[in-house]
Amino acid sequence: MTSPAGPPPTGGGSGEQQRLKLLAVTACPTGIAHTYMAAEKLAQAAESRGIDMKVETQGSIGAENVLDDNDVSTADGVIIAADKDVDLSRFVGKRVLTVGVAEGIRHPEQLIERVRSAPVHTAGGAPAAAASVDGGKQRSTVYKALMNGVSYMIPFVVVGGLLIAVSLALGGDATAKGYVIPKGTFWFDVNQIGVIGFQLMIPILSGYIAYAVADRPALVPGVIGGWIANNGALYDSKAGAGFIGAIVTGFLAGYLVLWIKKVRVPKFVQPIMPIIVIPIVATTALGLFFIHVIGRPISWVFQHLTSWLSGMTGTSAIMLGAILGLMIAFDMGGPVNKTAFLFGTGLIATGNQTVMGMCAAAIPVMPLGQGLATLIRKRLYTEQERESGLAALFMGCFGISEGAIPFAAARPAQVIPANMLGGGVAGAVAGVAGVEDAVPHGGPIVAVLGAVSGVPMFFVAVVIGTMVTALTTVTLIDIGERRRKGAPPVAVPGASGPPEPGPLEPALVGVGAGAAGAGAVGAVMAQSLVSSGAPATKPVPAEAPEPTDTHAHTGADGEVLSGYLTGQTVKAGLDARAKEAAIREMAELLARTGKVTDVDELVASALRREEQGTTGLGEEIAIPHAKTDAVTAPVVGFARSAEGIEWGSLDGTKARLVFMIAVPRAAAGDEHLRILALLSRKLMDPGFRERLTAAPDVRAVLEVLSEIR
């Protein structure tokens, strides 16, 4: 075919008649639906234009259809449609177009045209992500870098925090110096392992922010910069700069490396730039800058802050408690937090235990509040964040305020003010009630072990502060998300009434989000299905009589989707006319297999999932699903609706093709993920949907479904 005017292709072929060859990589945080939808759309668009294209998918089950060296050497261009990091080093010398996975689904034809004039990727370089074709709002580079750091930090927070909490609970003793675990004991060793996790989490946050900004050369300066920021001893500070300092060093390291990359150097130096020169120069410059330029002012500020607090000990208990609570909640283990904590600790020795009581009430509010927020408005959080929320609740009970750091780092503008409001309220309530704490520690654990006087009011302070933090957090996040998506804000969480539909990620069962912010990608799934250009489906014929021998209608292999779907779980026509009734009818259909132990619980689980966001994908498709112990093994059902069922799909279409998936909570195998990926990919084929709609009976439906391989 004839290429449009512009720079020549970079492939290995030559001559006007050479068939254009393109490559693509698709990836999304969940690694299921979007990854395979984008791959299918790109492949279809290339085939319709007579272009050879090979697409590598980086899904939850790993990379498939991997691009090898021969593919790359002969390619004329590469399209990266991804919402997570993709290694571009193998594409040096090729035209590379980088966009979000949404563009791969919505505008594959335009991407194929644009990649032919895309910039050539150079060693150590990373092409900037292209703007959205339709001008839609997308996450900024800064936000993506921040979320990259948070996603890598979360496991360190969870592992470190839980090990510390468990070791304190089972091996700690309350002393005047706090909860101490005797050295040489088993729980002391467990505690030290947890401490290592906490020591690493801040450098990891900084390092992977830098990595997201400037790729591998920025990783080392980012990690070392984060360590320096967290180690106040290097610049004479008792507190260090905490996670806020790590965010600063992460971005400083990333953009410093980007600047160094632009410096022209002799050719013989270029090969060692990314592995030797850039890391050494950037690490040295960033470290010295933080120690001598940023660090010392930080130390000076917090020394004077301590002096200021000392002058307030005779003022109103409410005011002092509120100020200490605000400080404790601001940076969760950072310099402001530690200044307030050390102030309270120092006064214990003088016999003044009320100041530590104020601090002790505020310390658990942040992790408890953020954990509670993930429970009362689940749809605002990814699967990974909800799991972190449960861990934060546990850490909060043991006074580990760092459990809230991942939430504050991911959404500082919403979470930090909410934390401070809740912490200030808890500190003020404890102050006016005269709560005392005899040990330098906080959280419910100190009250349970007898270190607190005024225990009832201590718990009142903690509960009120936690509720304030949780409700403020979900309100601010909800307002922020809806502003970004152009939708009006909704009522405060917990209000009665039906759940509001929103452009949420209809993530399939068993698939967790890989990074904070995955809910924003959910709008793309529904919108992309709207823009797929599929023809309208035909009316569903009247339901054929149900076969008496279902096994006679399960196709040549006797089963579909590796046996998850059989003739027992297919119905040619739904009787239900509303979503809840349809879900119950589908649940009863799945119960035919004997794998459902509690139909009511299965229905309730599926409806709870609908409250988080509609599973109506558009294009007259709905995939309700549930992860529940009401089923003993994975099972999939399919049914059609002649009139269509209102499912809240963003494109306004009623659901006519309904798949229901149910898995036990313990089911999370690669085979199950593969089935979900194949189903998502196949539903992008308009011809498949037409055949599925037109199939006259269960036998014919199963024959069409058997195409899913």
Side-chain angles (χ1 to χ4, degrees), residues 45 76 79-80 84 119 124 128 135 144-145 155 190 297 317 363 400 438 465 482 497 549 585 587 605 622 627 638:
D76 296 299
I79 299 171
I80 307 294
K84 66 178 186 178
K144 291 181 179 179
V190 172
I363 284 171
I400 301 173
R482 290 179 178 273
D549 181 8
E585 190 172 344
S605 297
K627 188 176 183 181
F638 170 74

Side-chain angles (χ1 to χ4, degrees), residues 151-515:
S151 66
Y152 281 100
M153 177 185 69
I154 284 176
F156 290 86
V157 177
V158 173
V159 171
L162 293 183
L163 288 179
I164 291 174
V166 170
S167 62
L168 285 173
L170 300 180
D173 298 319
T175 70
K177 295 182 179 180
Y179 283 94
V180 177
I181 302 174
K183 291 185 177 180
T185 64
F186 171 79
W187 292 115
F188 178 82
D189 294 336
V190 172
N191 182 269
Q192 292 305 298
I193 295 172
V195 169
I196 292 172
F198 262 21
Q199 289 175 339
L200 290 174
M201 71 177 181
I202 299 301
I204 290 295
L205 171 65
S206 177
Y208 279 95
I209 289 174
Y211 179 86
V213 171
D215 216 342
R216 294 182 183 178
L219 182 60
V220 171
V223 170
I224 294 178
W227 185 277
I228 293 172
N230 200 43
N231 189 349
L234 294 173
Y235 44 92
D236 299 325
S237 172
K238 293 182 179 180
F243 85 94
I244 295 178
I247 292 174
V248 172
T249 57
F251 283 109
L252 284 177
Y255 287 106
L256 177 61
V257 168
L258 285 180
W259 178 78
I260 295 174
K261 285 180 178 181
K262 297 179 181 178
V263 177
R264 294 184 178 181
V265 297
K267 287 186 177 181
F268 71 88
V269 179
Q270 290 178 359
I272 64 172
M273 285 291 290
I275 59 174
I276 298 178
V277 177
I278 293 177
I280 289 177
V281 172
T283 301
T284 304
L286 177 63
L288 293 175
F289 177 77
F290 199 94
I291 291 172
H292 296 290
V293 178
I294 299 179
R296 295 196 183 281
I298 289 175
S299 177
W300 182 87
V301 167
F302 293 110
Q303 285 175 2
H304 285 73
L305 187 58
T306 303
S307 300
W308 176 69
L309 287 173
S310 298
M312 292 188 64
T313 52
T315 62
S316 167
I318 295 179
M319 181 182 295
L320 181 59
I323 291 173
L324 289 172
L326 290 170
M327 293 176 64
I328 288 289
F330 176 68
D331 54 1
M332 295 147 286
V336 178
N337 172 287
K338 281 193 172 70
T339 297
F341 180 80
L342 293 173
F343 175 66
T345 300
L347 290 178
I348 292 177
T350 68
N352 184 347
Q353 298 178 357
T354 56
V355 173
M356 193 63 222
M358 302 171 192
C359 295
I363 284 171
V365 163
M366 299 80 74
L368 290 177
Q370 295 306 321
L372 180 60
T374 65
L375 297 178
I376 63 178
R377 189 61 76 86
K378 292 181 179 180
R379 71 172 184 81
L380 295 176
Y381 297 90
T382 65
E383 184 73 21
Q384 186 184 37
E385 287 175 321
R386 291 195 291 271
E387 291 174 357
S388 297
L390 295 177
L393 287 170
F394 189 77
M395 285 186 260
C397 293
F398 292 89
I400 301 173
S401 59
E402 288 87 347
I405 286 180
F407 300 96
R411 299 181 177 96
Q414 292 85 23
V415 172
I416 292 178
N419 283 348
M420 293 178 67
L421 184 59
V425 169
V429 173
V432 74
V435 172
E436 297 183 352
D437 181 12
V439 299
H441 200 82
I445 184 66
V446 296
V448 172
L449 296 181
V452 170
S453 63
V455 172
M457 287 307 299
F458 172 81
F459 278 107
V460 168
V462 171
V463 169
I464 293 176
T466 297
M467 291 299 299
V468 168
T469 291
L471 294 177
T472 305
T473 297
V474 296
T475 301
L476 293 177
I477 292 177
D478 192 57
I479 291 173
E481 287 294 305
R482 290 179 178 273
R483 280 180 179 173
R484 190 180 66 80
K485 297 169 184 174
V490 295
V492 174
S496 60
E500 60 284 272
L504 305 171
E505 169 76 353
L508 298 175
V509 171
V511 183

Side-chain angles (χ1 to χ4, degrees), residues 552-630:
H553 298 270
T554 54
D557 298 327
E559 56 188 24
V560 178
L561 292 173
S562 298
Y564 295 160
L565 187 151
T566 69
Q568 292 178 305
T569 58
V570 171
K571 196 169 186 179
L574 281 169
D575 298 323
R577 296 295 180 264
K579 177 162 63 171
E580 183 172 347
I583 288 176
R584 176 165 293 278
E585 190 172 344
M586 293 295 296
E588 292 170 350
L589 183 65
L590 299 186
R592 294 180 182 179
T593 63
K595 298 177 182 178
V596 179
T597 59
D598 189 337
V599 172
D600 290 338
E601 177 56 30
L602 174 55
V603 172
S605 297
L607 292 176
R608 284 195 294 270
R609 172 60 187 86
E610 294 295 328
E611 291 177 359
Q612 299 173 28
T614 179
T615 56
L617 304 187
E619 294 290 357
E620 302 183 332
I621 300 168
I623 309 182
H625 47 276
K627 188 176 183 181
T628 172
D629 290 331

Side-chain angles (χ1 to χ4, degrees), residues 93-141:
K94 297 295 175 181
R95 298 191 183 282
V96 177
L97 177 65
T98 303
V99 297
V101 70
E103 298 302 331
I105 304 172
R106 302 169 68 183
H107 306 288
E109 299 87 356
Q110 295 183 36
L111 298 184
I112 289 173
E113 295 301 321
R114 291 167 59 197
V115 72
R116 301 188 217 181
S117 58
V120 175
H121 183 57
T122 57
S132 173
V133 174
D134 60 1
K137 295 181 181 179
Q138 296 205 3
R139 296 294 193 179
S140 66
T141 301

